[in-house]
Amino acid sequence: MTTVLRAHAEDQYAEELAILAKDDDRVRPPGWKLSPWAVTAYILGDGDRITPKYIGPRRIVEVAVATLATDRALLLLGVPGTAKTWLSEHLAAAISGDSTLLVQGTAGTAEEAIRYGWNYARLLSEGPSRQALTPSPVMRAMAEGRIARVEELTRMPSDVQDALITVLSEKTLPIPELNEEVQASRGFNIIATANDRDRGVNDLSSALRRRFNTVVLPVPATAEEEVDIVSRRVDQLGRSLELPQTMTGLEEIRRVVTVFRELRTGVTEDGRTKVKSPSGTLSTAEAISVLTNGIALAAHFGDGVLRPSDVAAGIVGAVIQDPVSDRVVWREYLETVVRERQDWRDFYRACRDAG
């Protein structure tokens, strides 16, 4: 696994999952590798041997885990960058030991991605048969009693979305060409993710929405919480990418988080000044990306210390999505807020030069 750029959650955290499984003496739902209590401990951490995978309200995770222990599917809803995909992967890894049964939703996703397809060479030579059938990740999850993941559900065409209705309500997938069906084994369920901020969204039908229990993932409630999330993920990514050791000051992380939060909420941290918000989401995930890129710059082209000049270009690129309107918003924020902060002078000059 040393050559893999990003290991699956069940591989990367195999030791933690094994520790929890060994000590887990609570009731496990049929087909689950861990009890709901142990799954929650894996997601949130225990302050000792288990590292937190998601930082947020405990009740949200408990509701999500409890949903998957019932016959209801789980829909993780939130703005971009709220760790929907990250949480769904770790839930699947802890419950099924397999997070790879994934359907990626796009405008071009076909119904075969939800149901099944055909090996046309075998279909033409042998006719319809189980050997000629190509199962989708959802069909495999049903047959094996595992969790299937559907990313960006609302990006799929409506008719493809509705292919899930029979699967979720009847727990069966008909194969009319063979006069057969695949019935879901115990342990099967679906975790879907969606956001309603992006363009080109296809709203879920009421029939499909009723099959899901929706859990909304919020943005980090406080700056300290977001700084904690960003710090952890930047450290994990740096080790995963084997970036050279860099002096990453908490000051720079806090500064990036502050800029993103102020532009996202439209008001400065002290509540005294209103600012305009750019067109982008400026999510926690984007803050992590800006800082990781800054660490790479500092390590390979600097003196090994993360400085304002290393993060400035990344911030400017994240904020200015629309080259006209966002540039005006950024310049106004830079001159009216950043410039007035005495301890941000280096940061102000770096951002002005980068812009």
Side-chain angles (χ1 to χ4, degrees):
M1 297 300 293
T2 55
T3 61
V4 175
L5 184 59
R6 182 185 181 279
H8 297 303
E10 59 270 21
D11 298 323
Q12 186 175 357
Y13 296 96
E15 185 177 342
E16 293 186 13
L17 290 168
I19 290 171
L20 285 167
K22 181 181 178 181
D23 299 338
D24 188 12
D25 58 358
R26 304 196 181 212
V27 177
R28 304 182 188 186
W32 283 39
K33 302 291 186 182
L34 298 172
S35 68
W37 178 88
V39 172
T40 303
Y42 168 75
I43 299 296
L44 296 174
D46 65 355
D48 184 17
R49 297 177 296 176
I50 310 301
T51 58
K53 318 302 179 303
Y54 174 78
I55 298 174
R58 181 180 184 86
R59 197 58 176 173
I60 285 180
V61 177
E62 291 176 341
V63 170
V65 174
T67 296
L68 293 170
T70 70
D71 63 345
R72 300 267 292 180
L74 174 65
L75 175 62
L76 299 176
L77 189 67
V79 299
T82 47
K84 300 183 294 297
T85 298
W86 180 254
L87 181 57
S88 74
E89 179 185 359
H90 283 284
L91 285 170
I95 292 170
S96 298
D98 185 359
S99 63
T100 64
L101 297 174
L102 172 68
V103 176
Q104 179 60 58
T106 69
T109 300
E111 193 173 337
E112 287 80 3
I114 300 294
R115 300 176 72 238
Y116 53 85
W118 294 98
N119 180 328
Y120 286 103
R122 299 195 69 165
L123 183 64
L124 291 172
S125 63
E126 303 172 8
S129 67
R130 273 299 185 111
Q131 291 70 35
L133 185 144
T134 304
S136 70
V138 174
M139 178 183 276
R140 287 181 53 203
M142 294 177 71
E144 299 169 10
R146 298 180 184 273
I147 300 291
R149 298 164 55 211
V150 181
E151 289 295 310
E152 301 292 353
L153 178 60
T154 51
R155 285 194 165 276
M156 295 180 179
S158 298
D159 57 331
V160 178
Q161 294 177 11
D162 288 344
L164 286 170
I165 292 177
T166 301
V167 171
L168 296 179
S169 59
E170 305 297 330
K171 300 298 186 288
T172 185
L173 180 57
I175 311 175
E177 295 90 342
L178 303 179
N179 197 27
E180 295 180 16
E181 65 180 7
V182 174
Q183 291 185 303
S185 300
R186 290 189 171 190
F188 166 73
N189 214 326
I190 287 179
I191 304 174
T193 67
N195 73 75
D196 53 8
R197 285 282 186 94
D198 291 344
R199 296 171 184 170
V201 168
N202 299 302
D203 290 333
L204 301 183
S205 66
S206 58
L208 182 56
R209 190 176 286 276
R210 286 196 303 270
R211 269 70 179 183
F212 283 100
N213 187 32
T214 301
V215 172
V216 179
L217 299 186
V219 295
T222 66
E224 291 303 320
E225 186 177 296
E226 191 162 2
V227 167
D228 187 21
I229 294 170
V230 172
S231 300
R232 290 176 185 273
R233 286 294 294 139
V234 166
D235 180 60
Q236 290 172 349
L237 280 172
R239 284 187 278 109
S240 174
L241 297 171
E242 296 187 12
L243 291 174
Q245 287 292 324
T246 302
M247 293 290 292
T248 308
L250 191 62
E251 181 184 359
E252 293 305 325
I253 295 177
R254 191 180 302 279
R255 192 143 44 193
V256 171
V257 168
T258 299
V259 170
F260 275 36
R261 289 182 69 87
E262 289 181 338
L263 287 172
R264 194 165 64 212
T265 59
V267 65
T268 55
E269 202 172 31
D270 57 12
R272 295 179 179 178
T273 307
K274 290 185 177 181
V275 298
K276 295 176 182 177
S277 295
S279 60
T281 56
L282 297 181
S283 65
T284 306
E286 289 170 290
I288 293 167
S289 178
V290 166
L291 284 159
T292 303
N293 187 70
I295 289 172
L297 283 171
H300 294 298
F301 302 105
D303 59 1
V305 178
L306 185 67
R307 302 186 185 280
S309 58
D310 299 316
V311 299
I315 285 185
V316 172
V319 173
I320 303 178
Q321 299 293 317
D322 184 308
V324 178
S325 62
D326 289 345
R327 189 174 296 277
V328 173
V329 170
W330 175 242
R331 284 180 180 248
E332 183 176 316
Y333 175 77
L334 202 60
E335 297 300 328
T336 60
V337 177
V338 176
R339 186 178 184 180
E340 299 303 316
R341 291 173 173 163
Q342 296 297 321
D343 54 343
W344 283 34
R345 288 297 174 88
D346 290 344
F347 181 73
Y348 167 73
R349 286 192 291 268
C351 290
R352 186 186 59 189
D353 294 343

